[in-house]
Amino acid sequence: KIIESVEHLASLHADRVKRQLLLISFSQLLQRTGSDALETCRPGAERSISAEQLDELQSFFASVLDNRDMYWVCDEIVKPLTQKKQVSYAELVGCGMVRWFISHWWGMHFSLTVKSILNHAKQTGE
């Protein structure tokens, strides 16, 4: 049992390190592409991201997402990315105006939420 516990702790630490490296890489990618220009926008329809931006987030962090929900994504990915600059995720990656507001349960697997949003975007031509 002790060996199993140590292996489990080592696995958790490895996951945390992997996530930290991905966060650093994603931040650097935003800097290189100029996407972190910090566009301040008012709350509401202007403070939103596109289905494509959401898909990019999911694709970049796919190796650590598994069946994680939005609560986990927010705590482990979004907050660490936005904390230093004290901005919303939309302001970090570039705000945009949307035609559709999507309400969703944060407890659903993030990948299923993204899949549904991408399907909606495809069906509506957005």
Side-chain angles (χ1 to χ4, degrees), residues 6-7 17 19 23 25 33 40 47 49-51 57 65 70-71 73 79 85 92 94 99-100 108 120:
V6 169
E7 288 173 345
V17 168
R19 191 170 53 253
L23 288 167
S25 295
T33 60
T40 304
R47 186 179 288 178
I49 62 171
S50 67
L57 176 71
L65 287 175
M70 192 63 205
Y71 294 107
V73 171
K79 285 182 180 178
K85 296 180 181 180
L92 184 70
R99 288 185 33 191
W100 302 94
M108 180 179 281
H120 174 77

Side-chain angles (χ1 to χ4, degrees), residues 37-103:
L38 293 184
E39 178 182 335
T40 304
C41 48
R42 295 189 329 237
E46 294 175 16
R47 186 179 288 178
S48 58
I49 62 171
S50 67
E52 182 181 331
Q53 288 170 307
L54 190 61
D55 190 36
E56 289 168 358
L57 176 71
Q58 176 185 253
S59 296
F60 196 91
F61 289 96
S63 64
V64 295
L65 287 175
D66 298 319
N67 290 322
R68 307 289 189 167
D69 60 24
M70 192 63 205
Y71 294 107
W72 186 90
V73 171
C74 185
D75 288 342
E76 301 297 329
I77 297 175
V78 174
K79 285 182 180 178
L81 285 171
T82 60
Q83 186 175 30
K84 183 177 178 181
K85 296 180 181 180
Q86 292 294 298
V87 295
S88 69
Y89 184 75
E91 290 168 310
L92 184 70
V93 298
C95 300
M97 180 65 82
V98 294
R99 288 185 33 191
W100 302 94
F101 170 81
I102 298 172
S103 179

